[in-house]
Amino acid sequence: MAGLRRIRWDALSLKLVFGLLAGIALVFLVLPTAVVLLTSFTSSQSLRFPPPGLSFRWYLALLDADQMQRAAWNSLVVAFWTTLLSGACGTAAALAIARSRSPLMRAADLLFMSPLLLPALSFGFAALIFINRLGLSPNIPLLVLGHVIVCVPFVLRTTLASLSQLDASLLEASESLGAGRLTTFRRVTLPLIGPGIGAGAFLAFMASFDNVPVSLILADERTEMLPIHLWQQIETNLDVRTAAASGAIVIATLILMLLAERFAGLTRQMH
Amino acid sequence: MEADSRLVLPLAAIFTAFFVAPLVVLLLLSLHGDIAMQGWTLHNYVKFFTDPFSYSILIDTLLLGVKATLVCLLFGYPIAWLCARAGARWQSVLVFLVILPILTSVVVRTFSWIVILGRQGLLNQVVMGLGLSNEPLRLLYTEVGVVMVLAQVQMPLMVLPILTVLSKLDPNLADASRVLGAGEWRTFFRVTLPLSLPGIIAGCILTYAASITAFVTQTLIGGARLIYMPLNIYQQAVGANNWPFAAALSIIFMITVMIVVGVLGAIGRRSEIHGRA
């Protein structure tokens, strides 16, 4: 009897400890998002939490925030072009890497993934020096290229993962039935790796829209990006419109995440 | 070159022109005294390694990464463990919650932490309400605060690789261990944990690299007095306008990151071979 109790206690204590740690961690994971959302609906002038009352007044105030709107538009435009370029070049590169075993391709893979680990600020600074040496000054197309460097690893990773799960016999079947390479790609490969590309493109879009280190250094004076603008607001005058803008970003992110989950199986692509 | 391999060319061109070339220029500039790049010198590197203030920033940054990574592992592993045991539906919900922070704008996230960690913030209200402390804890602008926020922000990078390994693990192995009389804890430490080592190391590489380079979080939560490498580089480049020194700092920082990643990666490969044997 004593032995049985010991085994039960043993199993129970493991579940208890792991459950407790996971529980605490999950609360801390969700807490900031919940706090931002609630604070953005505050009726008061200050950022006190919990808010004394709820209202839409700060969201309405966003309608007049010209500077913030311009910054949001700039960020959307840059994120759009970054996603398009990363999606196209990243998918093409993933196809080449997945089909080859040459060491050169392994090296290319390593190179393309390295921006994920290296300090983005150092890369942004390097790009600025480079642009300067070429006699150019920062502009939007160069900023987009900078964003592509730090965002393309996301597309590459998810696309390579879905390519590795692609059943080669499907491609052989298609080609033996007389379909050309292009048709096989369009009708077989692309639909099967589509969710992988989609999830990667979504992650690249979010990473670009959210990028600070590269934008901070490569955006020119006239083109302010949203995260940089919000950062300056937070550092200087913490007004509640910042909370409303943050709330709007959180809501948009949640909607996009649910869409990405619905159409690309985002959570399945992530591990 | 075969037809398929040529697909790599567009991205390779972008990377050569806009990643490799700038990094080469960065390296060259760090070996010069001024932006005109005349006359080679190691002055910037000598300055870094002889100035205690400079290299202590590097050490602080590397230690910050260790602390944030350990906290991430302590809390991230149980989440991955829970995810791996949950049914498909709950697993989706849990993974969704885990990736939520990394997809929420980093500035927004950090802003929220300022509301939570401040003197009259949520956390202090709870701590004082429960009578755990008579005066508000100082969390904002302290390293404890920075580690907390970094751990939260980078948690997905730890959880996802561990989850990948745990969900591929053969449940028979743990069952066999139990049948042979090992308790749950013993089974965990002797079977499950060693087998999930490749995932743990992959997670540690990602969290570590992300934590030490997290410019926004370090700067906004740490404030102006806690200086880590990214802020140091930014201040030298933009504030002091000392581009060659900032370039040397960048090179030193990047090489350090590469060494850490390389060493952890080598350990990871060894553990994978070990796991298979």
Side-chain angles (χ1 to χ4, degrees):
Chain A
M1 272 315 273
L4 195 63
R5 205 175 298 142
R6 195 177 57 81
I7 290 170
R8 275 207 196 123
W9 169 241
D10 188 57
L12 192 68
S13 64
L14 181 102
K15 285 198 178 107
L16 218 61
V17 169
F18 275 48
L20 199 67
L21 285 172
I24 296 173
L26 283 169
V27 168
F28 270 88
L29 278 176
V30 180
L31 192 68
T33 313
V35 166
V36 149
L37 267 181
L38 268 173
T39 314
S40 69
F41 290 107
T42 187
S43 59
S44 93
Q45 297 275 0
S46 77
L47 287 167
R48 279 228 343 250
F49 191 90
L54 299 177
S55 84
F56 280 103
R57 63 184 281 206
W58 299 108
Y59 281 87
L60 292 173
L62 282 185
L63 297 174
D64 300 322
D66 293 336
Q67 223 188 339
M68 211 180 260
Q69 286 176 12
R70 260 199 311 277
W73 178 247
N74 289 337
S75 285
L76 279 176
V77 170
V78 169
F80 172 79
W81 287 111
T82 302
T83 308
L84 207 65
L85 260 176
S86 306
C89 298
T91 306
L95 287 169
I97 291 167
R99 285 173 192 171
S100 161
R101 285 183 191 282
S102 84
L104 198 66
M105 281 300 174
R106 298 295 116 218
D109 187 22
L110 209 62
L111 174 71
F112 299 152
M113 295 306 283
S114 62
L116 213 55
L117 294 174
L118 290 179
L121 190 85
S122 297
F123 160 66
F125 177 50
L128 178 69
I129 299 170
F130 182 63
I131 291 167
N132 237 286
R133 297 291 301 179
L134 291 177
L136 301 168
S137 51
N139 56 38
I140 295 274
L142 289 173
L143 179 62
V144 169
L145 283 174
H147 275 209
V148 169
I149 301 283
V150 292
C151 296
V152 87
F154 296 106
V155 179
L156 213 56
R157 211 163 57 169
T158 54
T159 309
L160 275 174
S162 50
L163 276 170
S164 74
Q165 279 164 10
L166 194 67
D167 190 349
S169 60
L170 288 174
L171 306 181
E172 281 160 26
S174 166
E175 285 186 16
S176 67
L177 289 172
R181 295 178 60 88
L182 206 61
T183 314
T184 302
F185 175 71
R186 210 162 41 84
R187 303 288 292 271
V188 182
T189 312
L190 200 55
L192 285 171
I193 64 168
I197 301 173
F202 169 69
L203 296 175
F205 181 89
M206 300 310 287
S208 165
F209 189 74
D210 182 32
N211 184 284
V212 170
V214 177
S215 296
L216 189 65
I217 292 183
L218 284 191
D220 59 14
E221 294 84 34
R222 281 165 298 134
T223 44
E224 199 175 26
M225 310 296 283
L226 188 61
I228 314 275
H229 179 79
L230 287 177
W231 181 347
Q232 279 159 357
Q233 294 290 315
I234 293 171
E235 282 211 316
T236 51
N237 53 330
L238 254 179
D239 81 51
V240 190
R241 279 190 310 184
T242 314
S246 301
I249 293 177
V250 168
I251 292 168
T253 306
L254 278 171
I255 292 173
L256 282 174
M257 273 178 79
L258 287 170
L259 286 175
E261 175 66 15
R262 173 79 184 73
F263 292 107
L266 181 69
T267 53
R268 264 177 294 122
Q269 306 284 341
M270 297 292 290
H271 65 89
Chain B
M1 207 182 236
E2 31 174 330
D4 281 345
S5 301
R6 268 181 303 196
L7 287 170
V8 83
L9 290 178
L11 193 61
I14 293 179
F15 263 74
T16 310
F18 219 68
F19 185 68
V20 179
L23 291 183
V24 171
V25 175
L26 183 79
L27 179 65
L28 293 178
L29 180 63
S30 75
L31 294 167
H32 288 85
D34 56 24
I35 297 178
M37 306 223 302
Q38 274 150 357
W40 300 86
T41 172
L42 280 173
H43 171 75
N44 296 310
Y45 291 92
V46 173
K47 184 175 162 188
F48 177 84
F49 287 107
T50 51
D51 176 19
F53 178 72
S54 284
Y55 65 71
S56 69
I57 292 178
L58 180 64
I59 294 169
D60 287 349
T61 312
L62 297 178
L63 287 177
L64 177 75
V66 173
K67 291 170 198 161
T69 306
L70 288 179
V71 175
C72 255
L73 182 60
L74 179 66
F75 289 97
Y77 197 99
I79 296 188
W81 183 86
L82 200 67
C83 281
R85 263 157 197 72
R89 205 173 179 82
W90 274 105
Q91 191 174 56
S92 287
V93 173
L94 284 172
V95 174
F96 194 89
L97 291 181
V98 169
I99 57 177
L100 179 66
I102 212 162
L103 290 173
T104 315
S105 156
V106 65
V107 178
V108 169
R109 230 182 297 145
T110 314
F111 162 70
S112 177
W113 275 108
I114 294 176
V115 177
I116 295 171
L117 296 179
R119 274 183 72 83
Q120 277 137 32
L122 183 61
L123 209 63
N124 268 323
Q125 288 178 32
V126 172
V127 166
M128 287 165 71
L130 292 175
L132 296 173
S133 168
N134 288 325
E135 47 190 285
L137 305 174
R138 276 186 42 118
L139 293 166
L140 216 50
Y141 314 128
T142 65
E143 196 175 63
V144 175
V146 179
V147 170
M148 263 177 81
V149 178
L150 281 176
Q152 188 258 352
V153 169
Q154 322 295 2
M155 191 67 82
L157 302 176
M158 181 65 85
V159 174
L160 297 173
I162 298 177
L163 175 57
T164 307
V165 175
L166 282 182
S167 45
K168 280 182 197 142
L169 223 58
D170 186 352
N172 288 330
L173 290 171
D175 286 344
S177 159
R178 275 182 222 109
V179 169
L180 292 172
E184 292 286 334
W185 283 101
R186 204 175 150 84
T187 303
F188 172 72
F189 280 112
R190 299 298 285 274
V191 180
T192 314
L193 191 67
L195 285 173
S196 51
L197 216 51
I200 293 177
I201 288 169
C204 286
I205 292 178
L206 292 172
T207 0
Y208 189 80
S211 299
I212 61 176
T213 59
F215 178 53
V216 178
T217 310
Q218 290 171 2
T219 311
L220 276 175
I221 303 292
R225 268 180 304 159
L226 281 178
I227 299 177
Y228 299 105
M229 277 307 268
L231 179 62
N232 191 20
I233 293 170
Y234 183 73
Q235 282 177 343
Q236 291 296 333
V238 178
N241 219 0
N242 189 350
W243 281 23
F245 188 52
L249 289 178
S250 292
I251 296 287
I252 292 167
F253 192 36
M254 278 196 222
I255 290 176
T256 318
V257 176
M258 280 192 276
I259 291 173
V260 172
V261 169
V263 169
L264 282 175
I267 297 174
R269 272 188 300 280
R270 280 193 60 173
S271 76
E272 234 165 292
I273 295 163
H274 185 75
R276 246 181 268 132

